[in-house]
C-alpha cells in the first residue's frame, strides 16, 4: 500500500473524491485542490511551486498524481519535491479504475495513465478470451481446423461467397483471400439455388482447400452438389434437411 496525493482543480474535486471512494483502493489517498477551476490549465512549474509552498515534500508521500491533461513532463516537479510525480487519467472519472491497481509505480511522468489502463484492459480481455477458447476446445465441435463452441462465446465467423460456379480460379482465390484476411473462420461456398453444378462444387472446394488453411463449407441443398462437396473434402455442409437427406446419407459419411 502506498501513500498517495492527488492534485486536482476546483471543478473536478467532487468527481475525484467520488472516484476515490468508489475505487475502494488499498492505498492511503489524500486530495489537494489547487486554486484553479480547470485542472488542465495547470503547468508542471505551477504544480511544483504550489505543492512546495504547502510543504508536500516533508509529508512522506510515496507518489503524487497530477491530472493527465497537463502539458509537459512531471520530472521537473519530482526534482523540486523529491517525490515521484506521475500523470493520472485524462478524465477524473477514470481515477476509480486507476486506484484499483496495486502497483502505481508503473505510471509515467510523461504520459497520461490512460495508456496503462488500456494495456491492462487488453491483457484482462485476452485472458477472458483464452478461457473461452479453452472451454470451446473441450466442449465444441470441430469443423476443419476450427472448433465451434456448443454454447458461445466465443463466436465463429462464416462468410459466404455467392455464385462460385461463375468464378474462375483466380477470382475465387482472390475472394477467399479477402474474407480470410478480414477474419472469417469458415469460408462458405454458395452456388445456384435450383440448377446443379456438382463439378464446379468439387473443383471449388479442392482449390480452396489447397490454397488456404481454412475451414470450408458448402452451402447447397442439391444432393449431387453435397456429395461432390464432401468428396472434395469440405468440412461442413449447410442445408441438409428432410428434403434431401435420403438422397445423400448413403454417400456422405
Amino acid at each position: 500500500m502506498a501513500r498517495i496525493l492527488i492534485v486536482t482543480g476546483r471543478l473536478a474535486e467532487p468527481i475525484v473524491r467520488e472516484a476515490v471512494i468508489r475505487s475502494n483502493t488499498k492505498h492511503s489517498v489524500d486530495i489537494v485542490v489547487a486554486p484553479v477551476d480547470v485542472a488542465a490549465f495547470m503547468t508542471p512549474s505551477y504544480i511544483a511551486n504550489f505543492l512546495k509552498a504547502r510543504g508536500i515534500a516533508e509529508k512522506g508521500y510515496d507518489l503524487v498524481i497530477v491530472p493527465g491533461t497537463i502539458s509537459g513532463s512531471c520530472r521537473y516537479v519530482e526534482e523540486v519535491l523529491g517525490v515521484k510525480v506521475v500523470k493520472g487519467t485524462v478524465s477524473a472519472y477514470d481515477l476509480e479504475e486507476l486506484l484499483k491497481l496495486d502497483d502505481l509505480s508503473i505510471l509515467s511522468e510523461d504520459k497520461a495513465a490512460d495508456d496503462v489502463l488500456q494495456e491492462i484492459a487488453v491483457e484482462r480481455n485476452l485472458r477472458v478470451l483464452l478461457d473461452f477458447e479453452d472451454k470451446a476446445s473441450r466442449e465444441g465441435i470441430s469443423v476443419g481446423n476450427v472448433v465451434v463452441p456448443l454454447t458461445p462465446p466465443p463466436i465463429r465467423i462464416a462468410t459466404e461467397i455467392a455464385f462460385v460456379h461463375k468464378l474462375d480460379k483466380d477470382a475465387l482465390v482472390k475472394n477467399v483471400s479477402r474474407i480470410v484476411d478480414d477474419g472469417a473462420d469458415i469460408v462458405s461456398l454458395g452456388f445456384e439455388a435450383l440448377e446443379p453444378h456438382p463439378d464446379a462444387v468439387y473443383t471449388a472446394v479442392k482449390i480452396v482447400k489447397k490454397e488456404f488453411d481454412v475451414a470450408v463449407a458448402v452451402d447447397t441443398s442439391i444432393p449431387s452438389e453435397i456429395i461432390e462437396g464432401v468428396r472434395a473434402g469440405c468440412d461442413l455442409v449447410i442445408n441438409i434437411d428432410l428434403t434431401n437427406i435420403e438422397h445423400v446419407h448413403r454417400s456422405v459419411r
Side-chain angles (χ1 to χ4, degrees):
M1 184 180 74
R3 188 162 180 236
I4 299 169
L5 178 69
I6 297 178
V7 183
T8 188
R10 295 190 188 103
L11 293 178
E13 178 188 1
I15 301 172
V16 171
R17 294 193 183 279
E18 184 64 24
V20 172
I21 294 171
R22 290 197 309 268
S23 71
N24 195 27
T25 181
K26 298 177 182 179
H27 304 292
S28 174
V29 179
D30 292 332
I31 299 170
V32 62
V33 182
V36 296
D37 288 333
V38 182
F41 291 162
M42 292 188 289
T43 64
S45 177
Y46 175 89
I47 293 172
N49 293 333
F50 169 69
L51 295 180
K52 182 178 181 181
R54 294 179 67 93
I56 296 302
E58 291 78 37
K59 294 187 178 180
Y61 288 107
D62 300 304
L63 188 70
V64 175
I65 300 178
V66 303
T69 50
I70 70 166
S71 61
S73 173
C74 294
R75 297 181 189 277
Y76 172 73
V77 189
E78 285 186 354
E79 294 173 1
V80 172
L81 300 179
V83 180
K84 183 173 177 63
V85 181
V86 297
K87 291 187 178 184
T89 52
V90 171
S91 171
Y93 291 101
D94 293 330
L95 280 171
E96 177 183 352
E97 293 301 316
L98 186 66
L99 293 173
K100 292 177 181 178
L101 300 180
D102 291 332
D103 182 13
L104 295 173
S105 65
I106 59 177
L107 300 181
S108 169
E109 298 94 338
D110 303 305
K111 61 182 180 180
D114 298 70
D115 291 340
V116 174
L117 290 178
Q118 183 180 30
E119 290 172 2
I120 292 172
V122 169
E123 291 178 1
R124 180 179 64 242
N125 294 340
L126 180 59
R127 287 195 298 270
V128 171
L129 289 174
L130 289 175
D131 288 342
F132 282 138
E133 290 292 348
D134 179 63
K135 180 181 178 182
S137 68
R138 289 182 281 107
E139 302 177 3
I141 299 172
S142 293
V143 178
N145 60 355
V146 177
V147 179
V148 179
L150 295 176
T151 54
I155 63 172
R156 303 305 185 205
I157 299 173
T159 303
E160 180 170 334
I161 302 173
F163 300 107
V164 171
H165 57 287
K166 294 184 177 181
L167 302 178
D168 60 22
K169 178 180 178 179
D170 290 342
L172 177 59
V173 169
K174 182 178 180 181
N175 275 274
V176 174
S177 179
R178 173 178 53 81
I179 64 175
V180 169
D181 289 345
D182 287 343
D185 300 296
I186 301 171
V187 173
S188 178
L189 305 177
F191 300 87
E192 193 170 0
L194 299 177
E195 186 70 24
H197 301 276
D199 292 342
V201 173
Y202 181 88
T203 300
V205 172
K206 281 292 189 182
I207 290 172
V208 178
K209 296 294 289 185
K210 179 181 178 181
E211 298 291 334
F212 300 91
D213 183 23
V214 65
V216 178
V218 172
D219 184 5
T220 177
S221 60
I222 300 175
S224 62
E225 291 188 340
I226 294 173
I227 292 169
E228 288 304 298
V230 172
R231 195 168 72 86
C234 73
D235 304 293
L236 177 68
V237 176
I238 302 173
N239 287 338
I240 288 184
D241 55 33
L242 292 177
T243 66
N244 57 29
I245 192 168
E246 287 297 322
H247 299 282
V248 301
H249 79 281
R250 292 186 180 87
S251 301
V252 176
R253 300 297 182 189

